[in-house]
Amino acid sequence: GAGVSQSPSNKVTEKGKDVELRCDPISGHTALYWYRQSLGQGLEFLIYFQGNSAPDKSGLPSDRFSAERTGGSVSTLTIQRTQQEDSAVYLCASSLFGDGGSYEQYFGPGTRLTVT
Amino acid sequence: GQNIDQPTEMTATEGAIVQINCTYQTSGFNGLFWYQQHAGEAPTFLSYNVLDGLEEKGRFSSFLSRSKGYSYLLLKELQMKDSASYLCAVKDSNYQLIWGAGTKLIIKP
């Protein structure tokens, strides 16, 4: 079956512009996660959606970052007024459930964002 | 605070065995995951431990000791394709995954 997909795969933008990154999770997966990974670094948690519950936004680094998940499926991460330090690979992951159990996360290929 | 510790980098020889350690201090425990990440690619799931002991899956095994806050990933019969970063992650009491920074494994012929 289809895995997690993300678009675009690469995005180059000028400082100060807004960007939108898209994630299509695996069909039927109720949990969706956004992470950020800088070169050679570990995963930085950004936001987590579980079903219809209010999202866990505790990892968003500033109010320039926001995300939504429409209809419990597709998610969009928006970064307003981008800064050079926002340059990173943005990874989306989904799992069957977020709470409990051994539900592993399946990752998309990521969006490499470069802010010039 | 919550913390996951792994070595930054390890080197091993093709055909040999390597053990990658992970220690954790988290608010609660709901399981430990190991993921593999090749350079420029997304992480892929390797193993999950929630009870103490060893879980074996082909050339890869993962061990957990909850009382010690310790896990290791054991890779046997190393192949060049095993060169990658290995990420340890723990689900805390809120079922949030806390990630380590990863261990870069370099395999030499």
Side-chain angles (χ1 to χ4, degrees):
Chain A
V4 178
S5 61
Q6 293 185 243
S7 61
S9 54
N10 280 284
K11 177 71 176 179
V12 180
T13 190
E14 292 181 352
K15 178 182 172 182
K17 300 282 190 182
D18 298 352
V19 295
E20 283 192 353
L21 312 180
R22 177 187 168 104
C23 172
D24 280 277
I26 293 173
S27 178
H29 279 194
T30 65
L32 186 148
Y33 307 79
W34 282 99
Y35 295 95
R36 179 167 71 174
Q37 188 174 34
S38 300
L39 188 64
Q41 302 298 308
L43 297 179
E44 177 187 1
F45 166 75
L46 296 178
I47 189 169
Y48 159 51
F49 296 90
Q50 171 59 58
N52 296 320
S53 301
D56 176 355
K57 304 179 182 180
S58 60
L60 294 179
S62 78
D63 59 8
R64 296 186 296 104
F65 288 72
S66 63
E68 62 178 21
R69 188 179 185 191
T70 53
S73 182
V74 172
S75 178
T76 301
L77 177 69
T78 301
I79 309 173
Q80 295 178 311
R81 305 181 302 281
T82 52
Q83 304 293 314
Q84 287 185 332
E85 61 261 28
D86 299 335
S87 295
V89 175
Y90 289 80
L91 290 164
C92 174
S94 72
S95 67
L96 189 58
F97 297 103
D99 296 350
S102 62
Y103 302 111
E104 68 265 30
Q105 296 180 15
Y106 296 82
F107 284 82
T111 294
R112 181 175 299 278
L113 176 65
T114 304
V115 182
T116 61
Chain B
Q2 310 208 85
N3 197 49
I4 310 281
D5 286 316
Q6 316 178 224
T8 304
E9 186 174 296
M10 298 182 70
T11 303
T13 304
E14 189 177 17
I17 299 173
V18 72
Q19 177 176 312
I20 302 174
N21 295 325
C22 170
T23 58
Y24 62 89
Q25 299 94 37
T26 57
S27 303
F29 179 83
N30 279 297
L32 184 145
F33 294 79
W34 283 96
Y35 281 77
Q36 181 190 59
Q37 185 176 26
H38 285 100
E41 298 182 10
T44 55
F45 169 77
L46 285 178
S47 68
Y48 171 76
N49 294 69
V50 69
L51 300 176
D52 289 352
L54 188 68
E55 295 277 344
E56 296 187 73
K57 191 183 293 185
R59 295 189 299 114
F60 292 9
S61 302
S62 55
F63 172 83
L64 174 67
S65 169
R66 288 171 296 172
S67 62
K68 295 181 180 179
Y70 168 69
S71 173
Y72 67 74
L73 181 69
L74 191 71
L75 292 74
K76 302 177 184 176
E77 301 168 15
L78 285 169
Q79 302 175 10
M80 297 303 292
K81 68 178 181 179
D82 297 330
S83 292
S85 287
Y86 291 85
L87 309 175
C88 173
V90 173
K91 265 195 183 179
D92 68 9
S93 56
N94 295 319
Y95 299 102
Q96 183 174 89
L97 259 185
I98 312 300
W99 292 84
T103 298
K104 183 178 180 180
L105 179 63
I106 300 168
I107 310 295
K108 296 186 174 181

